[in-house]
Amino acid sequence: MIRIRPGKLRGFFKIWQNIPRQQMQKHNWTTPLILISTTLAIGIIGITSYKVVRGLILQQLQEKALLQVRQGTDEIDQWLAIRASAIQTMSNTTTVRSLNWPVISKYLQAEVKQTDEFFLFGMLSPKGYFYTSGRSNTNTRNNDREHIQKAKAGKLNISDPFIGRVTRIASIGIASPIRQNYDAAGAPIGVLFGNLKVNRLTGVVNKLSYGKGSYAFALNSQGQAIIHPNPALLSTAEKPAPSFLESTDPSLVAIARHMVNKKQGGIELIPIDGTEKYIAHVPLKQANWSIALVIPRENIESQLGALNILASILGGLLLLRAIVASRQIQLSEQAKKQVVMLSEQQKTLQEQAQALEQTLRELQQTQAQLIQTEKMSSLGQLVAGLAHEINNPISFIYSNIVPAHQYTQDLLRLLQLYQQNYPDPAPEIKAEAEAIEVDFLADDLPKLLTSMQVGAERIKQIVLSLRNFSRLDEADMKAVNIHEGIDSTLMILESRLKDTTNHPPITIIKEYDDLPPVECYAGQLNQVFMHVLTNAIDALEELFLSGKTTENPQISIRTQLMSDEQVIIGIADNGIGIPESIQKQVFDPFFTTKTVGKATGLGLSISYQIITEKHRGKLGCVSNPGQGTEFVIAIPINQTTLQIV
């Protein structure tokens, strides 16, 4: 608010009294009033613009700090997910299911040597006996570990950090139920667990930093610190520490409650130890933990110094302009000139404010696209990592099924020879043959191995599709088979194409032309196929859920080689279509017609950039309401030749 001192008002009254009556009547007060109104308007606009710009920049800085925490949690989640998958895979092996500890012990010791992550494996037998890869049967019942209890109940579980009773090493346990067969609903017959060192988790958390005085910590589901720079606050199963939920600081309790309840991550400013600090917190997906980064307030807001200096300069200029305006009341001719000057300055400030708002919008769009691109990159790395982890064991299984089938046939032939030459076996052998139904086993065992071979081939196809889709080894432009990328994307989306409660089965119609290898960024082009096919499936779901159902939902994919050395890829659906009024907006950033939380409005925008900027091609949309939509992609066959020209 702009305040006028009483002394100024008295000076104005004296000037007014000294003016002759006739001159006062002739004086035009319109110009001074315009000047005063303009000055006030500029002041209000300046203050409002400063607050808006400051808030937007501060929000961007806070999101930057929160993004750093999210990157740390993503790294921990990926690490835990891979390790948990390894334990679950091991628990489903025939060796572990046998519950024969001498055999299992050798298998687990080999796994300890093979992996750099797990330093100890163990098993809990049905009778509750505790075995580890470092020791044999302890002849004790070790049922008090919470993650082992949950695994006994049939749930894969990751524990809070604890101190090993034998190794005395700070550890994280991952336990998986052992079942008699592949039925996930079957009752567990034992528990397989592996221990990881907390050092890896501590290293990721301690690496989080945002300037001097910042530090990171992690809370478990009870609000106890499992990682903290202050050792006195650390909590383990053997030595629990006070929960942050019991703190005398209500602000800290509120933050801890958000972290424990695994609410969506955020950043808040609260007083800690007498000073205000930002806390950026993000929950983990794989475990009931949350990671928080404590940042001194000045570390973030110090970056607003340039804006504050600019605001001070503008405020000084505004004050100077107010003084000049007060003097213009005495000189009407000068006041007229000042009005023109102030009007021009107001217009300039408005243009600058508009330009600044446009710049901020572009920065927000760029940041959102960068985050989306980073997510897709992280997803590609995760997919490639999972495909690599799965490929080795499934290759081992697949390569051994044929010899196993041959060995089985040899044994069955040997059994037939025994039956032919010794038709009257000993009573004990005859009783055992009837008990195990040897004729049924001889008939069913080859079928079982055949079904295992079919399943292994299916898994290999899925792994190949995942690797083709991610294409991390093809970050550079190279010639690839476009059809392989489309088929890999369809393989990943196969679960959405099947009959569900949202839609009947979706038919895929392929009309592939004979295409040569096309130079492109294969991974990015697969992202485009993923976005366009996902939109087509969403359109068919919307049509079905709206009641305007079609008996044969289908997606047509056609490719065509053009005479001008271009390849055309058309992806069409027979869904609800896109209204003509919004067809021009489908490639705009953040534009979406879907409900909040279902889409970000960036998929088609990023796809448009990938096609037009990365591949010098075209991406268009052809749609008639009620008749479906077709997205048409056109890219040159040879990118390098085009760039040289």
Side-chain angles (χ1 to χ4, degrees):
M1 180 181 294
I2 299 176
R3 297 182 178 178
I4 302 178
R5 293 179 295 177
K8 289 278 186 180
L9 291 176
R10 287 194 294 269
F12 295 156
F13 290 147
K14 290 180 180 179
I15 295 173
W16 179 77
Q17 291 173 355
N18 292 332
I19 297 177
R21 180 67 59 180
Q22 293 180 353
Q23 184 178 358
M24 182 183 65
Q25 292 177 351
K26 295 180 181 180
H27 189 80
N28 186 0
W29 288 94
T30 304
T31 300
L33 290 175
I34 293 175
L35 286 173
I36 294 174
S37 301
T38 304
T39 304
L40 290 173
I42 294 175
I44 294 172
I45 292 173
I47 294 173
T48 304
S49 299
Y50 167 76
K51 291 183 177 180
V52 171
V53 173
R54 185 181 187 278
L56 290 174
I57 295 178
L58 183 59
Q59 182 181 1
Q60 296 297 319
L61 295 173
Q62 293 174 355
E63 290 178 354
K64 179 182 177 182
L66 187 60
L67 178 61
Q68 184 175 352
V69 182
R70 289 190 190 279
Q71 291 173 345
T73 56
D74 289 344
E75 180 179 350
I76 295 173
D77 274 329
Q78 183 178 356
W79 178 64
L80 290 175
I82 293 174
R83 304 285 79 79
S85 177
I87 288 292
Q88 192 172 28
T89 301
M90 293 168 60
S91 68
N92 287 326
T93 60
T94 305
T95 301
V96 174
R97 285 177 175 167
S98 69
L99 300 180
N100 186 348
W101 176 246
V103 177
I104 297 174
S105 175
K106 295 179 181 179
Y107 171 69
L108 295 181
Q109 289 174 358
E111 289 295 328
V112 170
K113 294 179 181 179
Q114 182 178 356
T115 179
D116 294 331
E117 300 291 346
F118 291 100
F119 70 92
L120 181 70
F121 290 100
M123 184 187 75
L124 194 68
S125 69
K127 296 182 178 180
Y129 291 110
F130 182 68
Y131 301 85
T132 65
S133 56
R135 300 177 63 184
S136 59
N137 185 358
T138 62
N139 292 321
T140 60
R141 297 182 182 273
N142 194 358
N143 297 331
D144 57 333
R145 295 294 191 193
E146 183 179 359
H147 65 293
I148 294 179
Q149 288 291 334
K150 291 185 178 180
K152 287 178 61 179
K155 181 180 179 182
L156 178 69
N157 189 259
I158 301 175
S159 75
D160 289 342
F162 61 87
I163 303 297
R165 294 178 177 139
V166 176
T167 62
R168 308 308 299 170
I169 297 176
S171 310
I172 299 172
I174 302 178
S176 174
I178 303 173
R179 293 185 170 87
Q180 187 66 44
N181 49 44
Y182 290 98
D183 185 9
I189 61 174
V191 174
L192 178 69
F193 61 90
N195 290 354
L196 303 164
K197 292 183 179 180
V198 180
N199 297 346
R200 172 69 181 274
L201 176 63
T202 304
V204 175
V205 175
N206 291 339
K207 187 172 62 177
L208 298 177
S209 176
Y210 200 96
K212 184 178 180 181
S214 63
Y215 63 91
F217 66 93
L219 297 184
N220 61 13
S221 59
Q222 285 77 39
Q224 297 168 323
I226 56 176
I227 298 176
H228 200 282
N230 185 356
L233 299 178
L234 288 178
S235 176
T236 62
E238 294 75 12
K239 187 179 179 182
S243 172
F244 280 30
L245 296 173
E246 301 171 359
S247 173
T248 57
D249 187 347
S251 300
L252 190 59
V253 171
I255 291 292
R257 186 174 294 112
H258 287 173
M259 295 174 65
V260 168
N261 293 336
K262 299 194 74 172
K263 291 188 176 180
Q264 185 176 6
I267 183 168
E268 299 179 48
L269 180 64
I270 66 171
I272 299 179
D273 298 332
T275 59
E276 290 189 328
K277 297 180 181 179
Y278 285 98
I279 294 187
H281 57 91
V282 177
L284 288 175
K285 299 176 182 176
Q286 297 297 326
N288 290 327
W289 312 331
S290 289
I291 309 299
L293 178 61
V294 179
I295 308 170
R297 182 175 184 177
E298 59 271 18
N299 288 14
I300 291 181
E301 298 186 1
S302 61
Q303 302 180 53
L304 299 173
L307 179 64
N308 294 333
I309 293 174
L310 178 61
S312 300
I313 294 174
L314 293 177
L317 292 175
L318 182 62
L319 179 61
L320 179 61
R321 180 54 57 198
I323 296 174
V324 173
S326 67
R327 294 184 60 84
Q328 295 302 323
I329 297 178
Q330 304 174 26
L331 305 171
S332 60
E333 291 298 327
Q334 295 180 4
K336 294 179 182 179
K337 296 179 182 180
Q338 292 296 328
V339 167
V340 175
M341 184 181 299
L342 288 172
S343 299
E344 292 176 352
Q345 290 181 351
Q346 181 184 13
K347 181 179 179 181
T348 302
L349 287 174
Q350 289 177 345
E351 291 175 352
Q352 292 176 349
Q354 292 175 356
L356 182 58
E357 291 177 354
Q358 178 64 25
T359 302
L360 288 174
R361 284 195 295 268
E362 293 175 356
L363 286 174
Q364 289 176 333
Q365 293 176 6
T366 302
Q367 182 189 32
Q369 291 174 352
L370 286 175
I371 293 174
Q372 182 73 7
T373 302
E374 182 64 23
K375 287 182 178 178
M376 290 300 296
S377 176
S378 299
L379 178 60
Q381 293 177 357
L382 178 60
V383 168
L386 289 175
H388 178 73
E389 292 291 337
I390 295 172
N391 188 56
N392 291 335
I394 198 60
S395 297
F396 174 80
I397 295 173
Y398 184 80
S399 62
N400 283 284
I401 285 180
V402 174
H405 191 276
Q406 183 63 42
Y407 299 159
T408 303
Q409 293 294 333
D410 294 339
L411 291 175
L412 291 176
R413 282 195 299 271
L414 179 61
L415 178 62
Q416 290 176 353
L417 290 175
Y418 270 107
Q419 290 176 338
Q420 292 173 3
N421 291 278
Y422 300 98
D424 297 321
E428 182 178 359
I429 296 176
K430 185 175 182 180
E432 182 64 20
E434 293 177 354
I436 65 174
E437 298 180 356
V438 66
D439 293 333
F440 171 78
L441 290 179
D443 179 68
D444 188 64
L445 186 56
K447 298 178 181 178
L448 178 62
L449 290 173
T450 302
S451 65
M452 290 174 62
Q453 184 174 10
V454 173
E457 290 176 351
R458 174 62 176 166
I459 296 175
K460 286 185 64 107
Q461 292 176 358
I462 294 174
V463 169
L464 179 61
S465 297
L466 292 174
R467 295 181 64 182
N468 287 338
F469 178 79
S470 62
R471 289 189 182 268
L472 291 180
D473 57 338
E474 298 181 8
D476 296 330
M477 180 174 291
K478 59 172 60 177
V480 299
N481 188 334
I482 294 294
H483 296 157
E484 288 184 358
I486 298 175
D487 293 339
S488 298
T489 307
L490 289 172
M491 177 74 71
I492 295 173
L493 293 173
E494 185 174 358
S495 62
R496 295 200 61 191
L497 299 173
K498 297 179 180 179
D499 188 9
T500 66
T501 56
N502 293 334
H503 60 75
I506 299 175
T507 303
I508 300 297
I509 301 176
K510 299 179 183 178
E511 299 177 6
Y512 288 170
D513 198 357
D514 187 12
L515 301 182
V518 179
E519 289 186 350
C520 63
Y521 295 101
Q524 296 184 10
L525 196 59
N526 288 343
Q527 291 182 26
V528 175
F529 296 151
M530 175 69 74
H531 289 311
V532 175
L533 286 170
T534 301
N535 276 341
I537 295 172
D538 291 342
L540 294 173
E541 284 185 354
E542 182 180 356
L543 179 65
F544 182 80
L545 295 176
S546 65
K548 304 175 182 178
T549 180
T550 175
E551 295 180 357
N552 184 25
Q554 63 184 23
I555 296 176
S556 300
I557 305 174
R558 63 179 178 89
T559 60
Q560 184 178 0
L561 178 63
M562 305 300 291
S563 59
D564 57 349
E565 296 297 317
Q566 280 194 335
V567 170
I568 302 296
I569 304 106
I571 301 176
D573 63 74
N574 60 346
I576 198 170
I578 301 175
E580 185 177 358
S581 59
I582 64 173
Q583 288 184 17
K584 296 181 179 180
Q585 300 174 267
V586 295
F587 300 115
D588 292 344
F590 305 110
F591 176 80
T592 180
T593 59
K594 300 175 184 176
T595 57
V596 176
K598 188 174 182 181
T600 61
L602 290 173
L604 291 179
S605 174
I606 294 176
S607 299
Y608 188 82
Q609 289 185 341
I610 291 174
I611 296 300
T612 59
E613 297 179 9
K614 297 287 187 178
H615 295 85
R616 306 249 186 1
K618 297 180 181 179
L619 175 58
C621 172
V622 180
S623 178
N624 293 317
Q627 299 181 9
T629 303
E630 182 179 22
F631 285 90
V632 181
I633 302 169
I635 57 174
I637 296 176
N638 298 312
Q639 293 283 339
T640 54
T641 304
L642 181 63
Q643 292 175 358
I644 294 175
V645 176

